[in-house]
Amino acid sequence: MKLTKFTHACVRLEKDGRVLVLDPGTFSESAEALDGAHAVLITHEHADHIDVAAVVSALEGNAELELFAPEGVAENLRTETPGAASRVHAVKPGTSFEAAGFPVRSFGGQHALIHPHVPVVANIGYLVDENVYHPGDSFIIPDGISVRTLLVPVHAPWNKVSEVVDFVIGVRAPRAFPIHDGLLNSTGLDLVEGHVKRLGARYGTEFAHLSSRESVDV
C-alpha cells in the first residue's frame, strides 16, 4: 500500500488501483489529495480535518466517491450536497466496514480535551487494511489489534510531547510517521520528532519524518 502524506493531518492511501483519503482539511492540499479518490474517511468536524468546500466539490464531481464520518459531520454534508447524500455514511466507534475495497475498523469516539471551556466533539480513529491507524485528534489506543503503521499527531492545542511519546509507546507499532504538524515551524518539528524517534525506538517503534507530498510503501 502506498501512503502519501499531505500537509497537516491529510493522508492518501493507494492499493490495487483504489484510493482512500483521510482528513482532507483546510491546512492540506485537499483538492489534490481528493483527485481520483474512491472513498474518504473523516475523523471529526474541525476545519483542519475537513475542508467542507473541497469535499462537497469532490462528492458532486465524482459519482463513485463515498464518504464516512461521525454522525454530525455526515448530517452536515448531506445537507450541503443532497445529491450525494446516499454516499455519505455515518460511523460509530467499535464498528467494521469496507471503504473503496479497504477494510476499516473504527475506534474512540471523543476528541481530546483542549480546554474545559471548549466543547468536546465526536472523533473517530480509523484502522485501514489492518495496517495504518489514523487517530484523528485523540490518543485512543486501538484495543484487540496490533497496529503496523501508526500516524502520530505530533503537535496540537490538546497535546504535549510526553503524551505524544506515551501514545507511540502504548501502541508499539513497528513503524510510525507524523501527522498534525501544520502549526510547527521546522525548529519545533525537529525537536518534537527527535523525542518521538529516540524514545519510541526503545520500545520497538521506528519513527520517520515525512514531508508534504512524500510517499512511502507500508
Side-chain angles (χ1 to χ4, degrees):
M1 182 162 53
K2 178 182 177 182
L3 182 155
T4 302
K5 182 191 184 303
F6 289 89
T7 301
H8 200 54
C10 180
V11 172
R12 178 178 167 114
L13 302 174
E14 301 175 56
K15 181 179 179 180
D16 298 331
R18 308 294 289 176
V19 176
L20 177 67
V21 177
L22 295 98
D23 279 8
T26 55
F27 295 174
S28 309
E29 302 81 6
S30 299
E32 180 181 339
L34 290 165
D35 185 34
H38 299 93
V40 182
L41 304 181
I42 303 296
T43 61
H44 66 285
E45 66 187 50
H46 291 160
D48 57 327
H49 292 259
I50 176 170
D51 182 338
V52 173
V55 167
V56 167
S57 177
L59 284 167
E60 293 178 345
N62 180 358
E64 295 184 358
L65 183 62
E66 293 190 276
L67 183 139
F68 302 81
E71 177 61 49
V73 178
E75 183 177 351
N76 179 61
L77 286 173
R78 293 186 193 115
T79 301
E80 291 286 335
T81 177
S86 64
R87 293 183 277 117
V88 176
H89 312 283
V91 179
K92 294 182 179 180
T95 60
S96 299
F97 58 95
E98 187 172 287
F102 293 84
V104 180
R105 293 203 227 178
S106 62
F107 296 89
Q110 181 175 293
H111 191 287
L113 180 67
I114 298 173
H115 187 274
H117 288 306
V118 178
V120 174
V121 301
N123 180 92
I124 301 291
Y126 297 103
L127 177 72
V128 180
D129 205 29
E130 298 295 316
N131 183 348
V132 177
Y133 180 57
H134 192 309
D137 278 8
S138 79
F139 286 141
I140 292 295
I141 296 176
D143 57 285
I145 59 104
S146 295
V147 175
R148 289 155 53 193
T149 305
L150 177 64
L151 302 178
V152 184
V154 294
H155 177 263
W158 49 268
N159 75 23
K160 57 185 179 181
V161 172
S162 64
E163 295 171 333
V164 176
V165 172
D166 284 346
F167 176 63
V168 172
I169 291 173
V171 177
R172 279 179 164 78
R175 303 178 75 185
F177 301 100
I179 57 169
H180 220 279
D181 51 6
L183 299 180
L184 285 176
N185 61 23
S186 59
T187 302
L189 184 59
D190 288 347
L191 186 151
V192 174
E193 290 191 340
H195 286 306
V196 175
K197 184 173 184 177
R198 176 173 54 86
L199 296 173
R202 296 184 183 181
Y203 297 87
T205 297
E206 179 186 354
F207 178 90
H209 174 77
L210 283 180
S211 299
S212 180
R213 296 187 173 93
E214 187 174 356
S215 299
V216 63
D217 289 329
V218 297

